[in-house]
């Protein structure tokens, strides 16, 4: 790994997990050109010993920031050992208070001329994480498989409710809870994010928070959900129609599907994030709904639900082979309904491979 400074201080929890396997809430890493260190406290020592990678040295600090004198002594000793004069920090991950703490323990007692300089290395590890290994791809595929299985179970619950003679109200929050419950039963560790469940007009809110709204026959349903498996996220959005869609609903749905499939057909390594976004956005704009599509066309997925790259007009960097991204165009008609369709794909040299297996043709999502 290229180091842009004498050493790198890693504080982002996902980057720490990626580099070391450690996922405790308290700790940070120091990467020098010759050695890697993980600093954590006694609460996590036994766990860390059993899971961290073999090339990492574990540094035990009593409650880390509860004993800054002990931490400073150990920290400065390691910096001196490796002659660290320029230290990279993930500034975008640090609060002002945290940044000042690290400055203090680094240069405490040092003469002005001997002070270590700090440079921003935000995003450097994320660029490495963008390209997935074969093992990561396998895990993310499993995560999305669980996600798809959960959705199909949720679809059954809705179908059963629609057929029931004596209907107990089925609320958005009920389905959101069921997504979590079934996900756990099928092997997910936790959710990638809180599920988005929107009935009727709520489907026109891209990030609607599920509430007590009960399902009604005729409602269109938007479900955006993701699972975590072995620390890796998945993401998928599907629509459901509780009766035959109106002509307008069918038109909007098929337009979004056409836009998404056009992007999936053309995306490959080397295409920029901006170009990939335009592959679906231009179709929606041409149909007159550009103003009703206000979010990015997709994003990277891995240890975090939103990673590099971004499918947006400002992302001019080419997509990389073996990166995993979402393709998620949408149209949102305020006060009426919204449609978003989202799949995850693996970018390849010559094209891409879909990791999402749940059907999305209009005839497959009508529950009537």
């Amino acid at each position: 790994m290229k180091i842009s400074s004498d050493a790198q201080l890693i504080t982002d929890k996902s980057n720490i997990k990626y580099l070391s396997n450690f996922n405790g809430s308290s700790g940070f890493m120091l990467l020098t050109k010759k050695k890697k260190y993980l600093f954590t406290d006694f609460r996590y020592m036994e766990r860390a010993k059993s899971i961290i990678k073999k090339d990492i040295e574990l540094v035990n600090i009593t409650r880390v920031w509860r004993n800054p004198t002990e931490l400073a002594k150990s920290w400065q000793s390691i910096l001196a050992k490796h002659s660290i004069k320029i230290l990279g920090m993930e500034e975008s991950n640090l609060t002002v208070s945290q940044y000042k703490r690290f400055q203090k323990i680094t240069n405490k007692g040092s003469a002005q001329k001997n002070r270590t300089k700090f440079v921003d290395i935000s995003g450097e590890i994320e660029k490495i994480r963008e390209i997935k290994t074969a093992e990561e791809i396998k895990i993310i595929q499993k995560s999305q498989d669980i996600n798809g299985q959960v959705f199909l179970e949720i679809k059954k619950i809705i179908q059963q409710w629609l057929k029931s003679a004596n209907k107990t109200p089925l609320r958005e929050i009920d389905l959101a809870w069921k997504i979590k419950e079934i996900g756990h039963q099928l092997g997910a560790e936790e959710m990638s994010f809180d599920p988005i469940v929107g009935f009727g007009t709520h489907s026109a809110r891209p990030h609607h928070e599920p509430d007590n709204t009960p399902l009604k026959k005729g409602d269109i349903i938007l479900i955006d959900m993701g699972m975590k498996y072995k620390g890796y996220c998945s993401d998928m959005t599907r629509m459901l129609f509780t009766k035959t869609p109106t002509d307008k609903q069918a038109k909007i749905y098929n337009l979004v599907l056409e836009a998404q499939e056009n992007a999936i057909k053309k995306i490959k390594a080397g295409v920029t994030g901006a170009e990939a976004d335009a592959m679906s956005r231009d179709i929606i704009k041409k149909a007159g709904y550009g103003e009703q599509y206000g979010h990015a066309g997709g994003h990277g997925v891995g240890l975090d639900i939103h990673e590099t790259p971004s499918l947006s007009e400002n992302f001019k960097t080419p997509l990389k082979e073996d990166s995993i991204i979402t393709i998620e165009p949408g149209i949102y008609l305020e006060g009426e309904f919204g449609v978003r369709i989202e799949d995850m794909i693996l970018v390849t040299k010559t094209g891409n491979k879909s990791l999402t297996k749940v059907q999305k043709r209009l005839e497959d999502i009508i529950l009537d």
Side-chain angles (χ1 to χ4, degrees):
M1 181 178 64
K2 182 181 178 181
I3 295 183
S4 60
S5 49
D6 295 332
Q8 295 175 311
L9 169 63
I10 306 299
T11 52
D12 180 271
K13 293 295 184 285
S14 294
N15 287 341
I16 291 171
K17 178 174 173 56
Y18 179 80
L19 294 166
S20 70
N21 285 333
F22 180 73
N23 59 357
S25 64
S26 178
F28 54 89
M29 291 187 71
L30 178 70
L31 310 181
T32 73
K33 294 178 180 178
K34 294 183 177 180
K35 199 168 186 63
K36 302 173 186 176
Y37 298 88
L38 171 66
F39 291 74
T40 190
D41 63 52
F42 74 96
R43 295 172 298 169
Y44 297 103
M45 290 305 296
E46 288 302 315
R47 177 165 137 199
K49 289 176 184 177
S50 66
I51 62 174
I52 64 170
K53 296 179 181 179
K54 294 180 180 180
D55 62 340
I56 296 171
E57 182 174 323
L58 198 55
V59 183
N60 185 3
I61 301 296
T62 307
R63 297 303 294 270
V64 184
W65 293 111
R66 296 284 184 89
N67 193 340
T69 300
E70 178 190 353
L71 175 57
K73 183 178 179 181
S74 178
W75 177 251
Q76 289 183 8
S77 174
I78 293 174
L79 294 182
K81 177 180 178 181
H82 294 280
S83 302
I84 306 304
K85 301 299 181 185
I86 301 175
L87 180 62
M89 301 179 76
E90 297 179 305
E91 292 182 10
S92 63
N93 177 256
L94 294 168
T95 64
V96 172
S97 175
Q98 290 169 333
Y99 187 86
K100 287 180 177 179
R101 281 179 174 181
F102 279 110
Q103 283 184 316
K104 186 174 182 179
I105 65 167
T106 300
N107 289 315
K108 185 177 181 180
S110 300
Q112 186 67 34
K113 64 179 181 179
N114 295 324
R115 287 178 175 268
T116 299
K117 295 180 181 180
F118 297 90
V119 296
D120 185 17
I121 57 155
S122 298
E124 285 197 12
I125 304 301
E126 286 83 350
K127 289 177 183 176
I128 299 169
R129 285 169 48 192
E130 183 178 349
I131 301 173
K132 271 52 179 184
T133 65
E135 180 62 19
E136 287 179 303
I137 293 168
K138 182 179 178 180
I139 292 171
I140 295 172
Q141 177 68 78
K142 175 65 175 179
S143 180
Q144 186 72 322
D145 286 346
I146 294 172
N147 204 27
Q149 292 169 14
V150 174
F151 175 81
L152 294 178
E153 291 301 315
I154 293 298
K155 183 178 177 182
K156 288 179 185 177
I157 289 172
I158 297 170
Q159 287 175 313
Q160 291 169 358
W161 183 87
L162 290 170
K163 292 176 181 178
S164 174
N166 299 311
K167 293 183 174 63
T168 301
L170 181 61
R171 303 168 298 172
E172 291 173 346
I173 57 172
D174 297 326
L175 283 185
W177 182 260
K178 277 292 183 183
I179 288 170
K180 297 177 182 180
E181 183 180 30
I182 296 170
H184 173 71
Q185 292 170 355
L186 293 179
E189 300 161 350
E190 56 182 312
M191 301 297 103
S192 299
F193 54 91
D194 286 334
I196 299 171
V197 179
F199 297 160
T201 59
H202 288 174
S203 62
R205 303 174 181 177
H207 276 195
H208 173 66
E209 184 175 342
D211 59 26
N212 287 310
T213 299
L215 182 63
K216 303 187 299 295
K217 176 72 173 179
D219 277 346
I220 187 173
I221 303 171
L222 182 149
I223 299 177
D224 188 348
M225 53 190 283
M227 302 291 143
K228 265 195 175 183
Y229 176 73
K230 292 188 177 180
Y232 284 84
C233 299
S234 55
D235 198 359
M236 178 184 70
T237 304
R238 285 293 184 267
M239 308 300 302
L240 291 170
F241 292 91
T242 57
K243 72 173 184 180
T244 301
T246 65
D247 290 344
K248 186 174 185 178
Q249 288 174 337
K251 172 189 171 184
I252 296 298
Y253 185 86
N254 284 325
L255 176 60
V256 174
L257 182 61
E258 177 191 356
Q260 192 213 29
E261 290 187 330
N262 184 65
I264 292 175
K265 180 180 178 181
K266 296 178 179 178
I267 286 174
K268 62 181 179 180
V271 170
T272 68
E275 290 168 341
D277 176 65
M279 289 169 182
S280 56
R281 191 173 303 277
D282 286 352
I283 290 175
I284 291 173
K285 280 183 177 180
K286 187 176 180 180
Y289 293 98
E291 294 297 318
Q292 287 73 44
Y293 177 20
H295 57 73
H299 55 86
V301 180
L303 288 169
D304 293 326
I305 189 58
H306 290 100
E307 294 190 349
T308 301
S310 171
L311 273 63
S312 60
E313 62 180 0
N314 295 321
F315 198 90
K316 309 298 186 181
T317 306
L319 301 179
K320 297 179 176 62
E321 184 179 0
D322 290 334
S323 60
I324 291 178
I325 60 174
T326 66
I327 310 296
E328 50 176 305
I331 295 175
Y332 309 92
L333 306 178
E334 186 177 352
E336 295 185 64
F337 65 92
V339 171
R340 178 165 70 251
I341 307 171
E342 178 184 23
D343 291 1
M344 287 203 317
I345 65 171
L346 170 68
V347 178
T348 68
K349 186 176 181 179
T350 58
N352 62 78
K353 174 188 175 185
S354 179
L355 305 182
T356 310
K357 300 174 183 177
V358 175
Q359 296 299 311
K360 54 187 176 181
R361 295 291 174 186
L362 187 57
E363 56 266 29
D364 295 316
I365 59 172
I366 300 172
L367 305 182
D368 196 8

